[in-house]
Amino acid sequence: MPDDHYVDYSQLLSQLLNDQFELNDTVISFLYHLFPGELFVKAMSLLDSNDMFIYVFDKAHAQCEHSESTETEPDGSGKEAREPQDAEADADANNFTNSFSSSHTDNTDLVSLLYKAPETVLYRLVVKPETAQGPPICVDLDHWFCSCEEYGSQFQQNFIRDTSENREPSIYSRAVTELNASASSNSDRFAQLPLQHNVQRYFRHELVLCPHLLAFAILLQTSSQVLTYFTQKNATVYLITVQHLDEWLKLHLNMIQ
């Protein structure tokens, strides 16, 4: 990431809202041309789709729920008796992500915490699958990862295949840019990776960037006002607090199925 002619994406994307707390059409038009193809349009469509979920685990009030054990009749212990229960459990796991779609969490303090001290918050980013049979799409901004096919295809093309052909030292050297120790601290949070040995690092998003990553980066790597707009005023992105450990574990089981 060169220091000269550097674009501060966080600063630009934070200008999505005007002084009236509405979308800024002029900035949106500029951002449309900043990103390749229809990438920005697809990301904005996701933000309006009601398909994006930010699950936050409330560690301070976490509880562990266990269903009460019940005595099983001898005749009901066979395979025939267990199958309906197993099918119902599988259905519950598959529909876990969708079970929160009826309510939004209005929590200004949580929005502020996600920006002021994100390292203290345990959260997961999920996009509802396009089909009922498909798995949810999981996004990890801290490691600039998405489970969608588009991300995998771009990563394969720009890092794995090119690394093999060009004999680069490693995938890491192609995927990550480290700022020099002498360089001034950069305020841009877009595609920023966790510090390593006090070195500021960025993923090369110009090589791998899907609509899901861009949409969540707009929410969580710009300004708290943008996150507030989409989760509270526009109310098209769900910010959900999970207080029960069992539900948090179910969420992760649903992700890997």
Side-chain angles (χ1 to χ4, degrees), residues 122-185:
L122 186 61
Y123 63 92
R124 294 292 180 266
L125 310 176
V126 179
V127 179
K128 184 178 178 180
E130 296 181 358
T131 63
Q133 294 75 24
I137 296 172
C138 305
V139 176
D140 184 351
L141 284 180
D142 284 342
H143 299 90
W144 204 250
F145 170 80
C146 181
S147 64
C148 72
E149 293 183 4
E150 183 175 350
Y151 178 94
S153 176
Q154 291 181 15
F155 197 96
Q156 171 74 22
Q157 175 66 34
N158 295 321
F159 294 136
I160 297 178
R161 186 176 303 171
D162 281 0
T163 299
S164 176
E165 294 175 356
N166 299 328
R167 297 184 179 181
E168 288 284 343
S170 67
I171 294 177
Y172 179 88
S173 65
R174 288 186 58 81
V176 177
T177 297
E178 297 181 350
L179 296 186
N180 296 328
S182 59
S184 58
S185 179

Side-chain angles (χ1 to χ4, degrees), residues 57 64 96 242 244-255:
F57 183 52
C64 184
F96 180 75
V242 180
H244 297 290
L245 180 59
D246 288 354
E247 291 182 351
W248 186 251
L249 295 176
K250 281 183 182 179
L251 173 64
H252 289 75
L253 287 174
N254 189 48
M255 288 180 180

Side-chain angles (χ1 to χ4, degrees), residues 12-236:
L12 285 174
L13 290 167
S14 66
Q15 304 302 313
L16 273 173
L17 303 177
N18 57 26
D19 294 337
Q20 289 73 43
F21 204 49
E22 299 288 348
L23 290 177
N24 190 324
D25 292 335
T26 302
V27 173
I28 288 177
S29 178
F30 172 78
L31 292 172
Y32 170 79
H33 296 285
L34 180 64
F35 294 95
E38 299 292 319
L39 183 61
F40 184 73
V41 173
K42 292 178 180 178
M44 292 299 292
S45 296
L46 272 174
L47 291 169
D48 282 332
S49 68
N50 289 289
D51 289 340
M52 298 181 66
F53 300 81
I54 303 174
Y55 293 97
V56 180
F57 183 52
D58 187 356
K59 293 182 286 187
H61 302 90
Q63 303 177 29
C64 184
E65 291 184 336
H66 296 284
S67 58
E68 295 182 1
S69 60
T70 57
E71 183 177 353
T72 304
E73 295 294 332
D75 291 341
S77 61
K79 178 180 179 182
E80 295 79 3
R82 290 198 305 268
E83 284 181 344
Q85 295 177 356
D86 292 342
E88 183 178 353
D90 291 341
D92 289 342
N94 290 332
N95 293 326
F96 180 75
T97 301
N98 299 333
S99 65
F100 295 95
S101 60
S102 60
S103 63
H104 289 272
T105 298
D106 184 1
N107 194 325
T108 303
D109 292 337
L110 184 56
V111 169
S112 178
L113 191 62
L114 283 168
Y115 266 88
K116 292 183 178 179
E119 67 281 355
T120 66
V121 183
L122 186 61
Y123 63 92
R124 294 292 180 266
L125 310 176
V126 179
V127 179
K128 184 178 178 180
E130 296 181 358
T131 63
Q133 294 75 24
I137 296 172
C138 305
V139 176
D140 184 351
L141 284 180
D142 284 342
H143 299 90
W144 204 250
F145 170 80
C146 181
S147 64
C148 72
E149 293 183 4
E150 183 175 350
Y151 178 94
S153 176
Q154 291 181 15
F155 197 96
Q156 171 74 22
Q157 175 66 34
N158 295 321
F159 294 136
I160 297 178
R161 186 176 303 171
D162 281 0
T163 299
S164 176
E165 294 175 356
N166 299 328
R167 297 184 179 181
E168 288 284 343
S170 67
I171 294 177
Y172 179 88
S173 65
R174 288 186 58 81
V176 177
T177 297
E178 297 181 350
L179 296 186
N180 296 328
S182 59
S184 58
S185 179
N186 200 314
S187 62
D188 191 10
R189 297 182 59 194
F190 190 81
Q192 187 178 48
L193 303 175
L195 287 175
Q196 187 175 68
H197 306 300
N198 292 323
V199 175
Q200 201 167 12
R201 305 179 301 151
Y202 289 88
F203 198 97
R204 295 187 61 190
H205 60 82
E206 70 274 13
L207 296 179
V208 176
L209 180 58
C210 65
H212 312 101
L213 274 169
L214 179 55
F216 274 118
I218 289 173
L219 293 173
L220 296 169
Q221 295 182 339
T222 55
S223 72
S224 58
Q225 288 81 7
V226 173
L227 180 58
T228 299
Y229 174 83
F230 285 105
T231 58
Q232 297 182 21
K233 181 177 181 179
N234 203 41
T236 52

